[in-house]
Amino acid sequence: MTTQTETTDAGGVATSSESLTITDNRTGKTYEIPIEDETIRATELRKIKVKDDDFGLMTYDPAFMATASCRSSVTYIDGDNGILEYRGYPIEQLAEKSSYLEVAYLLIYGELPSSDQLAEWDHQITIHTFVHENVKEFMQGFRYDAHPMGMLLASVGALSTFYPEAADIKDAQSRYIQTIRLLAKMPTLAAFSYRHNRGMPYVYPDNDLGYAGNFLSMIYKVAELKYEPDPRLERALDILFILHADHEQNCSTSAVRSVGSSQVDPYSSVAAGVAALYGPLHGGANEAVLRMLQRIGSTDNVSDFIQGVKNGDERLMGFGHRVYKNFDPRAKIIKTAVDDVFEVTGKNPLLDIATELEKIALEDEYFISRKLYPNVDFYSGLIYEALGMPVEMFPVLFAIGRTSGWVAQWLEMVKDPEQKISRPRQIYTGARERTYVPIYER
Ligand code: CMC
């Protein structure tokens, strides 16, 4: 929050130092707009008019490059300094010390749970992992090779038909139970989608296992009576879920908030988030990294590849970020997890290419001057591949982790008295007042 002090402008009029003075050169009128949190309210600009019945001035900001859409206390990012915090806790500490479900609790409630609270939270989520048999049946109706992300998108949206009380978003108890169900059932839907795509029978949840371990069981269990996940792989997956849990107002979270602002149920809102994450510019970059590494093929080709990037022929996928102009802190953590996973699975030869690419890029003037550093996707694809996941599952894994963030942001929005239905303005560029011409005269 900022404090206001009074100063005097050239004309002797008292102004606040925490304000912006705008002169409209069309009219010569001057306006003082308050600045709060280094932000002005766009609606203040509506006062700037030529005629009284004008709509007033608008801002034009495609892609929200400089527009805050909400106040949020969930996630803090300082892109220049490579800082990411959930509810004020550095991501490095959470990835080292927390479990994914503990982080989910933190994101949703704003505080780390006590051990009793965590035990109850874990228990509630564990006992809600099963889905109605009808869900399984309609999933079986998808084409044999359906993309698992498309199946996840459809099936999470369909949960609203199984829990019609979810429409009562003003009821705190209903919001709580839908939150539990979303976190609990997302891995089940994701695993069913994977098994369908592989032509394998769906595996029911194993509630003796932890969150990540149960997911691995539903993915990989074949004929054994009980699947026993390797604890190192289970932990690596749990860390990946933590790293993907939230990233403030990114494309999919904005989609969840925007759709949720219509007061639809949370399953439909989360389905919108999955849809946004499906796109290659959002959840699909790690796949592009993997394909790039496969194409480079050997460390001998790295220099030529980097030269191609500098010539503008291609992009170094997994590098650069709209917000981070420093190391993406998630990339550093993933790099450590890579070593743990490869200890179990054996080293992926693509790792040498990735390491060499990173080394050369970080020393090269092209990347230094543009502040291009590895982002979360540079190494995550290598881990997913080492875990035996096909590339179609990469965004699905992202969606499982991001569900806690989507729900936390949705809950925050539902309770925010300043939020209304999301409804941007436009600058109309089309024709006006045309007279209809009958088809036989066109
Ligand atoms: N390789 C080569 N040059 C690059 C790259 C790259 N990966 N990224 C940016 N640049 C250059 C770009 O050509 C431009 O150079 P110049 O000033 O000479 O024209 C300069 O750096 C600024 O780039 P920009 O495209 O204006 O930056 P942006 O903020 O619009 O783009 C980005 C961010 C992530 C889309 C981009 O860096 C990129 O395409 N990276 C590769 C794809 C990728 O790894 N995406 C995953 C993002 S992390 C996932 C998540 O958090 O959701």
Side-chain angles (χ1 to χ4, degrees):
M1 289 300 249
T2 47
T3 49
Q4 300 216 346
T5 50
E6 292 259 308
T7 55
T8 312
D9 71 8
V13 178
T15 56
S16 158
S17 62
E18 290 301 329
S19 71
L20 181 73
T21 302
I22 299 177
T23 303
D24 184 347
N25 293 324
R26 299 170 302 174
T27 59
K29 279 193 203 158
T30 295
Y31 302 82
E32 195 191 344
I33 312 274
I35 298 176
E36 199 183 338
D37 298 321
E38 291 184 63
T39 306
I40 60 161
R41 279 185 183 262
T43 45
E44 286 285 328
L45 301 177
R46 294 271 306 273
K47 294 174 187 158
I48 304 177
K49 300 178 177 188
V50 175
K51 295 195 285 318
D52 282 351
D53 59 352
D54 280 353
F55 179 79
L57 218 56
M58 292 195 300
T59 54
Y60 176 57
D61 190 8
F64 296 98
M65 299 291 285
T67 298
S69 62
C70 61
R71 289 177 175 276
S72 180
S73 60
V74 180
T75 290
Y76 174 79
I77 301 177
D78 174 348
D80 290 333
N81 295 306
I83 294 172
L84 171 61
E85 294 168 359
Y86 296 160
R87 301 284 189 182
Y89 292 99
I91 190 69
E92 293 80 2
Q93 291 184 25
L94 294 170
E96 191 192 332
K97 299 181 173 138
S98 252
S99 67
Y100 171 68
L101 286 188
E102 188 181 13
V103 168
Y105 185 102
L106 172 69
L107 287 169
I108 286 164
Y109 290 107
E111 297 296 337
L112 285 167
S114 67
S115 41
D116 284 353
Q117 286 168 329
L118 182 58
E120 174 62 11
W121 180 246
D122 277 357
H123 173 70
Q124 286 300 329
I125 290 169
T126 305
I127 62 170
H128 283 89
T129 49
F130 277 67
V131 292
H132 194 289
E133 280 295 288
N134 288 163
V135 174
K136 197 183 91 182
E137 282 154 20
F138 83 69
M139 288 183 84
Q140 278 165 336
F142 275 91
R143 217 179 98 142
Y144 71 97
D145 59 351
H147 195 293
M149 195 65 167
M151 289 183 70
L152 182 68
L153 158 55
S155 53
V156 73
L159 289 185
S160 71
T161 66
F162 291 84
Y163 308 111
E165 75 279 12
D168 190 0
I169 62 157
K170 302 226 157 88
D171 181 75
Q173 182 55 29
S174 171
R175 290 198 302 262
Y176 170 75
I177 189 67
Q178 313 321 327
T179 297
I180 296 283
R181 284 175 177 147
L182 271 163
L183 289 166
K185 295 182 199 308
M186 206 67 169
T188 312
L189 299 175
F192 283 10
S193 307
Y194 167 86
R195 300 285 290 208
H196 184 86
N197 178 275
R198 300 271 121 173
M200 296 175 80
Y202 300 0
V203 175
Y204 288 110
D206 179 344
N207 287 352
D208 288 343
L209 296 173
Y211 196 77
N214 168 49
F215 178 67
L216 289 171
S217 166
M218 291 188 290
I219 291 280
Y220 293 127
K221 188 166 182 286
V222 185
E224 63 273 45
L225 281 180
K226 189 160 184 74
Y227 178 86
E228 284 175 13
D230 186 296
R232 291 166 294 181
L233 298 186
E234 197 179 345
R235 179 64 190 148
L237 188 58
D238 211 50
I239 290 174
L240 283 163
F241 289 156
I242 293 173
L243 299 184
H244 287 93
D246 197 49
H247 215 226
E248 48 118 311
Q249 307 313 313
N250 56 88
C251 177
S252 58
T253 302
S254 302
V256 169
R257 278 181 173 264
S258 184
V259 169
S261 75
S262 73
Q263 301 194 348
V264 74
D265 67 89
Y267 301 105
S268 303
S269 299
V270 165
V274 178
L277 197 62
Y278 202 169
L281 294 188
H282 192 6
N286 44 20
E287 176 180 345
V289 172
L290 210 69
R291 295 201 194 287
M292 173 190 76
L293 295 175
Q294 284 162 347
R295 196 158 46 88
I296 296 171
S298 142
T299 47
D300 297 342
N301 301 328
V302 166
S303 298
D304 285 350
F305 178 82
I306 291 278
Q307 195 51 52
V309 172
K310 288 160 66 174
N311 295 344
D313 299 336
E314 46 198 325
R315 289 216 149 188
L316 176 49
M317 299 311 287
F319 260 65
H321 198 277
R322 172 63 60 77
V323 179
Y324 295 117
K325 300 303 167 197
N326 200 319
F327 262 93
D328 178 340
R330 301 168 299 175
K332 284 191 193 162
I333 300 166
I334 288 192
K335 217 174 152 186
T336 317
V338 164
D339 296 335
D340 297 343
V341 169
F342 287 172
E343 204 183 291
V344 184
T345 62
K347 198 169 114 191
N348 184 331
L350 296 177
L351 178 65
D352 288 338
I353 302 172
T355 313
E356 184 68 7
L357 268 175
E358 183 185 348
K359 185 169 151 282
I360 294 187
L362 290 178
E363 289 166 356
D364 192 294
E365 181 50 29
Y366 175 95
F367 297 91
I368 294 169
S369 62
R370 288 170 179 78
K371 300 188 175 169
L372 300 172
Y373 293 89
N375 62 48
V376 68
D377 289 322
F378 194 64
Y379 287 105
S380 62
L382 285 175
I383 297 196
Y384 292 149
E385 197 187 50
L387 291 175
M389 301 285 173
V391 285
E392 306 86 70
M393 279 300 283
F394 292 5
V396 173
L397 290 156
F398 193 155
I400 296 175
R402 185 54 58 89
T403 300
S404 54
W406 288 332
V407 174
Q409 301 266 355
W410 173 78
L411 287 166
E412 186 176 58
M413 182 206 62
V414 167
K415 290 187 246 167
D416 181 348
E418 267 203 316
Q419 289 295 333
K420 290 168 176 263
I421 187 164
S422 219
R423 204 316 186 169
R425 297 277 170 178
Q426 65 166 9
I427 300 172
Y428 179 65
T429 59
R432 290 287 323 279
E433 297 184 359
R434 301 164 98 185
T435 302
Y436 182 81
V437 181
I439 196 158
Y440 52 85
E441 286 180 19
R442 284 176 229 155

